[in-house]
Amino acid sequence: MIEQINTKIFSAINQYAGSNKIVDAIAVVVAEYLPFLFILALIYLWFGSNSEKKHSALYAGYSAIVGVLINLFITIFYFHPRPFMENIGTPLIKHAPETSFPSDHTTFMLSIATMLLFANSTRFIGIILFNFGLFG
C-alpha cells in the first residue's frame, strides 16, 4: 500500500518532466545544488554569529552526519529501487542504480534544518531551510 502511495506521489510530480526546459533546468539545479545552500548557512552561522548560533551550527552539522550514517545503516538492510530502475517516470538526472530510500539529500538537509529549529537564535533560518529541504 505505501508503495502505491509513493508511486502516485512520484508520478504526480514527475508527470511534468520533459515538458518545459526551464522547469526541468530549475528542478535539476535544485536537486544538485540545494544541499550547498545548507552548508553555506552553517558556514554563515559559524563565522558570522555569536556563540549560541555557532553551537547551533555545530549541532546541526553533527545531526547531518548522524542522519547520513543512519541512512547508510538502513541501506544495508533495505533496498528500494529508484523509479527509473522500474521504468517509472522521466529521469532528468543520471543517477547510479542504487537505493532511493532513504534519501541522503533530504536527510542531510532536514537534519540541519530541524536542529536549527530547536534554538531560538536560529529558528528563523531553520524554518526557511526546512521549507527548502522539503523540495530536496
Side-chain angles (χ1 to χ4, degrees):
M1 180 168 134
I2 194 76
E3 182 61 34
Q4 293 169 340
I5 294 169
N6 186 26
T7 301
K8 283 187 183 233
I9 292 170
F10 175 80
S11 296
I13 295 168
N14 188 260
Q15 70 180 332
Y16 302 106
S19 61
N20 186 314
K21 289 184 181 189
I22 294 171
V23 173
D24 288 350
I26 291 169
V28 169
V29 167
V30 167
E32 291 186 350
Y33 298 108
L34 190 58
F36 292 108
L37 175 66
F38 287 71
I39 294 169
L40 289 174
L42 292 181
I43 291 169
Y44 167 76
L45 289 172
W46 183 259
F47 288 110
S49 301
N50 60 33
S51 64
E52 184 182 351
K53 289 181 181 179
K54 284 184 182 186
H55 283 107
S56 294
L58 185 64
Y59 294 141
Y62 289 155
S63 175
I65 291 168
V66 169
V68 172
L69 288 174
I70 290 171
N71 280 5
L72 227 127
F73 183 73
I74 292 170
T75 61
I76 292 170
F77 298 102
Y78 179 74
F79 180 83
H80 187 274
R82 293 189 173 276
F84 72 85
M85 295 168 66
E86 295 183 331
N87 294 321
I88 299 172
T90 303
L92 296 176
I93 301 171
K94 296 217 183 250
H95 206 290
E98 60 188 20
T99 188
S100 67
F101 177 85
S103 166
D104 288 333
H105 276 123
T106 303
T107 299
F108 174 80
M109 292 184 291
L110 292 180
S111 294
I112 290 171
T114 302
M115 285 306 293
L116 294 176
L117 286 171
F118 282 113
N120 287 334
S121 64
T122 57
R123 187 161 293 137
F124 181 71
I125 193 167
I127 291 168
I128 292 169
L129 291 178
F130 191 87
N131 285 302
F132 280 137
L134 292 176
F135 293 108

